[in-house]
Amino acid sequence: MIVAPALQVEHLSVEFRTRSGIVKALDNVSFAVGKGETLALVGESGSGKSVTAYAIMGILDPAGRVTGGKAMLGALDLLHATPDEIGKVRGREIAMIFQNPRTALNPIRPVGRQIADVLLRHADVTRREAPARAIELLRAVGITDPARRAKAYPFEMSGGMCQRVMIAIALAAKPSLLIADEPTTGLDVTTQAVIMDLIGELAAEIGMATIFITHDLALAAQRAKHIAVMHAGHVVELAETQEMFAHPRHPYTAELIAATPDTAASLDQLASIPGSLPDLRRADLPPCRYSERCPRKLASCDQPLPVMPPENPHTVACWNPL
Amino acid sequence: MTTTLLDITELAKRFPAGKPAGPIARLRKRFAGGPEKLPQVYAVDDVSFTIAQGETVGLVGESGCGKSTLVRVLTRLLDPTDGGIKLGARELSHTPARRFARDQDRKRIQMVFQDAGESVNPRFTAFEAIADPLRRLRGLSGTNLRHKVEEAASRCGLPLELLTRFPHQLSGGQRARVGIARAVAVEPDLLVLDEPTAALDVSVQVVILQLLQRLKRELGMSYLFVSHDLSVVRLLCDRVLVMYLGKIVESGPARAVFDHPLHPYTQALVAAVPSINEHGHTRLRLTGEPRSPIDPDPNVCRFYGRCPNGVDRCKTEMPALRSFPGGREAACHFAELTAQ
């Protein structure tokens, strides 16, 4: 259980209106992340990891709508804050690192200027001081020759360096919460290790909470204190990292671990997960969205999912857990 | 005794870097004496290796190390600057890439690209995508063609009713199957796979990897498997080649290389792979950026500057790739010490 949460998300539900019906993208998502801690959201594509992040940041697509729940950052409910209130905390209190840094950065503005923009808006820095502070930040994220690099455009830098710039922008105002959405997907493993170290060190330095979104179970295991496993818009299991891998309780978590090539001695030992994600537009979605793929399904699985008390250190949304 | 299928000897591919000089600068240079020489990017530099029949060889290395160029040269989509590419008894390096497209041996080397959603013509149905190489390379048509396409599809676990669909109507796993089916339909000897599972979720990745392993057994193909996912390479490959800035820095049986890497770059690569059983940080980290591949100094180790144990000798003498027991090779001055 998390004693002093930096962010507490409770019963978050999100829907998207599409031409072919309403997609129930998130349903009753709850988790908390403590000050200075890292929570990993893991799951396959389409499980709702990024939608969760976008809902918290208030940057959902116009077709998306929060239909319930709250996300408390201190006393402020991010989901029901006015645009004015959220504008004050976004970039200052909560920051986000996007996947694919090259497209997330402004391609026609030197990176030093992009960092200075954030400083001017959120960090009470004067126009005169901003360029020097930007160079300082570039040095802090480990870019060599920062004064020269500050004048470079994103296309002149490698993917790893662009991601460092993104981190510098995100951390410019020393936020209390960082959301990192697949920050190292597409980077080499060697660069990935360095970038993840960097995020970890900076987070520890300023006591920042981190929500780390990834599909890489092994990376989550290595970097996060807690893990929330998502499937089809549900958090199916939430526990401390070591506990989760030692005793996975939800059948889906167990199958995900068995499909990860990391520990297997041969290909035959790896198990695939039968079936696919249910269509989230269906009107007759079962309460447990995994039940149609589940090998441990019982007749009782058709009732609403069990509700675990939030103080439980290992929660699992399953009637027949392992 | 295994027979060698592909024999690459001292292969090199260099690209000119930067623009050629304008006419006046060129004249000026000519009067100053000497031909005009542009700086060169050494994308692949003196690479030699073999692939045996039925063998799976992994090729790993970070982006920009020359993996893709090497693959494009040996699949004969690009012409090498230097060196030999021998497929069985046939020397391929002298046939220009343009002419090789219609060569009778084109069908012997096929490729599976990273994301079939992007590498398959979006206006081709799955049937057309698989039929295209069969038509062009094997001259099939009519019922023969239909029969072969259906055989390839069912061999790759693609339900026949999906053959009428376009790529955007298929899931990631189904698209991967189309990409594989079109490559194996012409029954190649060598299949080059460029990160075939990088775009897939783990649950689907497992199925595709197991499919590849089964196809290899059934059809007796050799694989060159390009990937940066070391845990996948470890499971699928017999042997592995580690590339760094255009050169092979280490090679050998996959398990031996990953369990006891001899080259410091391989060591860093292995240390960087996260594992479920390991919480917290590992110590070995590469700092700095790779050296420039433009006209590199032939006497400096390419890894110097990022290497944790670089000494003076490393910047005066390029370490040669040399043999070690157990069919291994490494190019580091300290590899003998590490091997002990």
Side-chain angles (χ1 to χ4, degrees):
Chain A
M1 192 203 158
I2 286 151
V3 190
L7 177 79
Q8 182 126 28
V9 176
E10 282 170 47
H11 312 296
L12 170 61
S13 299
V14 170
E15 287 179 0
F16 286 88
R17 279 166 201 283
T18 70
R19 245 180 290 178
S20 53
I22 289 175
V23 179
K24 297 178 235 24
L26 292 184
D27 177 42
N28 223 343
V29 167
S30 300
F31 59 83
V33 50
K35 288 198 175 91
E37 292 182 358
T38 299
L39 168 86
L41 289 183
V42 303
E44 299 181 88
S45 34
S47 60
K49 308 183 295 280
S50 293
V51 173
T52 306
Y54 289 178
I56 296 168
M57 289 292 285
I59 51 173
L60 276 177
D61 188 275
R65 199 165 60 91
V66 174
T67 53
K70 48 187 182 173
M72 302 304 293
L73 183 81
L76 180 69
D77 180 358
L78 295 170
L79 303 180
H80 298 97
T82 62
D84 222 33
E85 286 171 318
I86 207 144
K88 273 189 195 130
V89 294
R90 194 164 50 204
R92 190 184 294 243
E93 284 298 315
I94 49 175
M96 187 157 171
I97 300 173
F98 295 87
Q99 195 185 138
N100 207 342
R102 222 183 281 272
T103 51
L105 290 172
N106 185 339
I108 55 166
R109 205 162 164 75
V111 296
R113 297 274 291 275
Q114 298 190 44
I115 300 173
D117 290 344
V118 182
L119 288 169
L120 288 172
R121 176 128 164 70
H122 294 297
D124 307 318
V125 170
T126 63
R127 207 157 271 287
R128 195 182 289 271
E129 299 164 344
R133 282 287 301 278
I135 291 171
E136 234 170 82
L137 279 165
L138 283 174
R139 181 174 295 123
V141 293
I143 286 182
T144 46
D145 199 358
R148 188 171 61 86
R149 287 298 182 180
K151 298 194 193 88
Y153 291 89
F155 76 89
E156 296 175 289
M157 309 177 100
S158 67
M161 279 214 272
C162 283
Q163 196 54 284
R164 287 172 196 261
V165 172
M166 281 275 288
I167 293 171
I169 289 176
L171 303 188
K174 297 201 160 65
S176 53
L177 174 70
L178 173 73
I179 302 178
D181 187 0
E182 307 255 7
T184 57
T185 306
L187 300 182
D188 293 305
V189 276
T190 46
T191 316
Q192 165 173 290
V194 176
I195 294 287
M196 291 307 298
D197 282 357
L198 179 67
I199 295 176
E201 279 157 23
L202 296 173
E205 220 176 275
I206 57 180
M208 176 179 70
T210 310
I211 297 176
F212 171 45
I213 296 175
T214 181
H215 64 267
D216 186 339
L217 230 56
L219 191 61
Q222 199 181 28
R223 303 291 175 167
K225 182 155 190 263
H226 294 88
I227 293 189
V229 179
M230 292 192 73
H231 174 271
H234 282 158
V235 170
V236 294
E237 188 165 3
L238 174 59
E240 264 195 45
T241 303
Q242 268 114 325
E243 162 71 12
M244 173 86 78
F245 287 103
H247 309 286
R249 300 208 60 210
H250 197 282
Y252 178 67
T253 311
E255 301 218 24
L256 262 189
I257 295 172
T260 303
D262 171 47
T263 47
S266 80
L267 259 186
D268 308 321
Q269 276 187 13
L270 288 181
S272 61
I273 305 175
S276 51
L277 293 180
D279 186 344
L280 297 182
R281 288 169 301 193
R282 272 167 45 189
D284 61 334
L285 268 179
C288 169
R289 295 179 177 184
Y290 187 64
S291 60
E292 285 163 3
R293 306 170 78 179
C294 186
R296 297 173 58 84
K297 188 178 185 231
L298 304 173
S300 56
C301 289
D302 292 328
Q303 17 171 347
L305 285 170
V307 180
M308 291 252 175
E311 58 275 8
N312 201 324
H314 189 156
T315 56
V316 53
C318 181
W319 283 112
N320 188 18
L322 293 159
Chain B
M1 188 63 206
T2 50
T3 42
T4 303
L5 174 70
L6 185 79
D7 191 358
I8 303 289
T9 44
E10 292 165 22
L11 192 71
K13 178 67 189 176
R14 295 187 284 272
F15 296 100
K19 283 191 282 281
I24 294 183
R26 227 166 24 217
L27 269 178
R28 209 175 269 155
K29 255 189 189 158
R30 189 176 301 166
F31 286 122
E36 182 201 4
K37 195 172 177 300
L38 287 173
Q40 302 271 308
V41 175
Y42 283 60
V44 175
D45 189 14
D46 191 16
V47 164
S48 303
F49 65 92
T50 60
I51 299 179
Q53 217 139 43
E55 190 181 29
T56 301
V57 176
L59 177 62
V60 301
E62 60 195 355
S63 43
C65 75
K67 290 187 308 243
S68 297
T69 305
L70 175 59
V71 161
R72 292 171 68 86
V73 171
L74 70 84
T75 50
R76 303 300 294 108
L77 298 171
L78 275 180
D79 289 322
T81 309
D82 216 344
I85 304 164
K86 225 168 145 188
L87 183 70
R90 167 110 191 265
E91 176 61 54
L92 298 181
S93 57
H94 308 308
T95 315
R98 207 173 264 271
R99 183 129 49 85
F100 190 71
R102 274 159 301 163
D103 194 281
Q104 50 167 351
D105 278 344
R106 167 75 278 173
K107 61 174 177 286
R108 296 180 63 195
I109 308 178
Q110 286 295 311
M111 244 186 119
V112 175
F113 295 93
Q114 199 171 111
D115 182 0
E118 287 175 13
S119 61
V120 171
N121 189 332
R123 305 189 61 172
F124 275 12
T125 59
F127 181 90
E128 288 298 321
I130 302 171
D132 196 41
L134 283 167
R135 261 194 214 116
R136 284 167 191 273
L137 301 175
R138 307 200 96 206
L140 295 182
S141 61
T143 43
N144 278 345
L145 180 70
R146 170 155 292 277
H147 182 73
K148 270 282 176 198
V149 170
E150 286 176 357
E151 183 191 305
S154 43
R155 184 170 267 154
C156 295
L158 188 70
L160 297 186
E161 58 270 22
L162 296 184
L163 284 175
T164 53
R165 296 221 188 151
F166 289 96
H168 72 270
Q169 297 169 310
L170 298 170
S171 72
Q174 289 161 347
R175 283 203 290 255
R177 288 178 199 271
V178 172
I180 295 167
R182 73 190 300 270
V184 300
V186 294
E187 292 168 18
D189 295 329
L190 175 67
L191 194 61
V192 179
L193 301 128
D194 187 5
E195 308 248 15
T197 61
L200 303 175
D201 279 316
V202 276
S203 61
V204 188
Q205 168 175 285
V206 175
V207 188
I208 296 297
L209 291 175
Q210 285 168 347
L211 167 71
L212 287 171
Q213 202 173 40
R214 180 169 59 79
L215 285 174
K216 198 185 88 153
R217 269 199 294 261
E218 283 176 12
L219 303 172
M221 292 178 285
S222 303
Y223 284 169
L224 179 65
F225 187 82
V226 184
S227 180
H228 66 242
D229 190 337
L230 266 65
S231 37
V232 170
V233 171
R234 183 178 63 95
L235 289 181
L236 197 72
C237 299
D238 306 316
R239 220 148 48 80
V240 63
L241 310 168
V242 183
M243 236 179 134
Y244 189 80
L245 267 186
K247 284 193 168 295
I248 289 180
V249 294
E250 179 158 5
S251 76
R255 196 136 304 184
V257 169
F258 292 146
D259 288 351
H260 303 284
L262 295 177
H263 195 280
Y265 175 64
T266 321
Q267 287 162 5
L269 210 55
V270 172
V273 179
S275 163
I276 285 179
N277 297 325
E278 156 215 6
H279 191 76
H281 301 195
T282 41
R283 258 150 283 140
L284 187 56
R285 285 286 180 266
L286 292 181
T287 51
E289 295 276 315
R291 302 178 77 82
S292 165
I294 299 173
D295 289 332
D297 189 330
N299 296 320
V300 183
C301 175
R302 295 279 162 88
F303 195 45
Y304 184 71
R306 284 180 99 190
C307 183
N309 36 357
V311 297
D312 282 347
R313 190 181 165 200
C314 303
K315 56 178 176 181
T316 53
E317 184 191 342
M318 166 85 79
L321 189 65
R322 46 194 190 277
S323 301
F324 288 88
R328 304 183 60 177
E329 288 179 310
C332 174
H333 292 310
F334 300 99
E336 279 81 6
L337 278 174
T338 317
Q340 279 166 17

